[in-house]
């Protein structure tokens, strides 16, 4: 794609694939589920033309990056370990970069700022806000209580189960269902709302060629390792005990679509807008809610998101 270069970097005992373009201060883009470096294609082209070195890895378990077999290899500490070493390789002189995250990438970016604030100049996160650690509420249990056994996070917990059901449906159908209309309920025997013989009409922001890029990659890799991130929610909750009460002090900007499934979760709007978010992230400088926009905000509104990123990071040169 238009001068984007690809290479493998050895970090934290595994090989991580990165896509990069441009020269200047590094912006590290972190993707979510079920995505790849490719989800940042618009931002890579835009920000590299604005004087930045834009870099997007496939996170461990995704795409061309290594995918360790064990579920336990996908805790937050493993991912942050990858990112810290990656930053040191990408910016050996300073070891500090700008970061942009979406979905799971946003979750990991918040934790990167919490664990290693010395590595992040400033942060723009999309879709997923930082949430304080509640030692009384286990993350999987509360979601099951709120949304039931068919909720996707509940269904992802049993190793191999959802992968078998996805295999029956086919990778192409699964990928396109997620990119078009991220399904939060996955009933057994009828995973998706649309009948399987009903064609999927892609949204205006996603071409058939772009969708097929994801399909081709996930046909090669499968979904197990990406789903292992969800299988570590409980383990992460245990590991994060020492950081209860800690706050994010990295300068941050948060952007979410008002149609995003995360924004619609119980209590989320109140947390974001009524002071809780700002209390946990004192350096939060701006919250932007984009009207009529859903979960894959960086692909749905690429020019607007690139402008938001540029405008914010310009303050920290």
């Amino acid at each position: 794609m238009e001068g984007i270069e690809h290479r493998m970097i050895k970090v934290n005992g595994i090989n991580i694939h990165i896509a990069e373009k441009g020269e200047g201060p590094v912006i590290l883009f972190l993707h979510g589920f079920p995505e790849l470096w490719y989800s940042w294609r618009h931002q890579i082209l835009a920000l590299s033309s604005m004087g930045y070195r834009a870099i997007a890895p496939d996170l461990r378990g995704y795409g061309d990056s290594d995918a360790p077999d064990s579920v336990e290899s996908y805790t937050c500490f493993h991912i942050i370990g990858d990112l810290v070493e990656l930053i040191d390789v990408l910016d050996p002189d300073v070891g500090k970069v700008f970061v942009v995250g979406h979905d799971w990438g946003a979750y990991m970016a918040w934790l990167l700022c919490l664990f290693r604030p010395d590595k992040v100049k400033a942060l723009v996160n999309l879709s997923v806000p930082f949430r304080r650690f509640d030692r009384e509420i286990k993350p999987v249990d509360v979601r099951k209580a709120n949304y039931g056994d068919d909720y996707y996070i509940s269904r992802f917990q049993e190793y191999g189960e959802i992968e078998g059901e996805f295999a029956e449906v086919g990778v192409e159908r699964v990928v396109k269902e997620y990119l078009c209309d991220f399904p939060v309920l996955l009933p057994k025997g009828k995973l998706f709302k649309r009948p399987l013989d009903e064609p999927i009409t892609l949204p205006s922001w996603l071409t058939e060629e772009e969708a097929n890029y994801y399909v081709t990659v996930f046909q090669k890799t499968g979904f197990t390792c990406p789903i292992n991130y969800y299988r570590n929610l409980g383990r992460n909750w245990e590991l994060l005990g020492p950081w209860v009460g800690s706050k994010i002090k990295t300068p941050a900007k948060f952007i979410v679509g008002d149609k995003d499934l995360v924004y619609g979760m119980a209590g989320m709007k109140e947390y974001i807008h009524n002071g809780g978010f700002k209390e946990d992230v004192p350096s939060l400088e701006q919250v932007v809610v984009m009207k009529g926009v859903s979960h894959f905000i960086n692909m749905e509104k690429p020019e607007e998101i690139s402008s938001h990123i540029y405008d914010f990071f310009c303050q920290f040169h």
Side-chain angles (χ1 to χ4, degrees):
M1 272 188 74
E2 301 179 47
I4 296 177
E5 298 180 352
H6 298 263
R7 61 187 172 114
M8 304 295 289
I9 298 179
K10 184 84 168 182
V11 297
N12 202 22
I14 65 170
N15 293 301
I16 291 289
H17 162 253
I18 68 164
E20 63 180 323
K21 185 176 183 181
E23 296 181 0
V26 172
I27 302 178
L28 184 63
F29 292 92
L30 307 177
H31 68 79
F33 175 89
E35 300 180 77
L36 302 160
W37 75 267
Y38 189 69
S39 295
W40 298 110
R41 59 196 178 279
H42 304 297
Q43 286 72 40
I44 292 174
L45 297 178
L47 274 299
S48 65
S49 72
M50 298 175 183
Y52 288 93
R53 183 182 172 202
I55 301 173
D58 286 329
L59 298 179
R60 73 161 53 200
Y62 282 88
D64 290 327
S65 292
D66 285 353
D69 291 332
S70 69
V71 173
E72 296 80 7
S73 294
Y74 295 86
T75 71
C76 57
F77 286 143
H78 289 85
I79 311 306
I80 302 306
D82 297 345
L83 297 177
V84 168
E85 288 198 23
L86 184 59
I87 289 168
D88 287 340
V89 171
L90 298 176
D91 191 11
D93 294 332
V94 180
K96 193 171 188 178
V97 302
F98 294 109
V99 177
V100 180
H102 171 254
D103 189 78
W104 268 105
Y107 173 86
M108 293 302 175
W110 291 121
L111 293 184
L112 175 62
C113 293
L114 186 65
F115 299 159
R116 295 297 304 271
D118 58 308
K119 294 297 179 186
V120 185
K121 295 177 181 177
L123 172 69
V124 174
N125 260 347
L126 315 178
S127 181
V128 175
F130 179 72
R131 297 298 299 270
R132 66 190 62 167
F133 309 130
D134 190 331
R135 303 313 295 165
E136 304 302 318
I137 302 175
K138 295 184 177 181
V140 176
D141 292 348
V142 72
R143 287 169 172 86
K144 185 174 290 190
N146 286 338
Y147 305 110
D149 291 338
D150 289 339
Y151 191 59
Y152 74 104
I153 289 177
S154 303
R155 296 278 277 117
F156 282 180
Q157 295 306 306
E158 188 65 35
Y159 186 88
E161 182 177 285
I162 197 69
E163 293 96 311
E165 295 179 48
F166 281 174
E168 292 179 11
V169 173
V171 170
E172 181 177 358
R173 187 73 186 203
V174 172
V175 167
K176 289 182 176 179
E177 287 281 2
Y178 269 92
L179 292 177
C180 292
D181 182 30
F182 198 108
V184 296
L185 296 179
L186 299 171
K188 290 185 179 181
K190 192 181 185 306
L191 287 179
F192 306 120
K193 290 183 286 188
R194 279 178 283 256
L196 293 180
D197 58 358
E198 179 182 312
I200 294 178
T201 301
L202 297 178
S204 60
W205 49 266
L206 185 70
T207 69
E208 194 71 34
E209 182 181 5
E210 289 170 329
N212 285 336
Y213 183 92
Y214 293 94
V215 172
T216 299
V217 173
F218 281 102
Q219 282 175 335
K220 181 180 72 173
T221 64
F223 296 100
T224 293
C225 294
I227 291 172
N228 283 344
Y229 284 63
Y230 293 93
R231 293 179 176 134
N232 278 285
L233 281 168
R235 190 172 286 108
N236 289 343
W237 178 81
E238 295 176 358
L239 293 171
L240 290 169
W243 286 271
V244 170
S246 296
K247 301 182 185 301
I248 303 288
K249 298 178 181 177
T250 303
K253 179 175 184 175
F254 178 71
I255 311 171
V256 66
D258 67 346
K259 305 297 184 185
D260 194 315
L261 72 156
V262 179
Y263 193 59
M265 288 180 176
M268 188 63 74
K269 294 184 182 70
E270 293 77 12
Y271 173 75
I272 290 173
H273 299 295
N274 293 349
F277 192 14
K278 179 67 173 177
E279 181 182 340
D280 293 335
V281 187
S283 53
L284 180 67
E285 297 192 12
Q286 191 177 4
V287 171
V288 177
V289 180
M290 298 182 71
K291 301 297 182 184
V293 183
S294 191
H295 185 62
F296 296 103
I297 189 168
N298 46 319
M299 291 190 279
E300 292 181 52
K301 297 292 181 182
E303 293 180 3
E304 291 92 329
I305 293 300
S306 295
S307 294
H308 277 298
I309 294 167
Y310 179 79
D311 291 344
F312 188 61
F313 288 163
C314 274
Q315 305 172 54
F316 303 98
H317 284 246

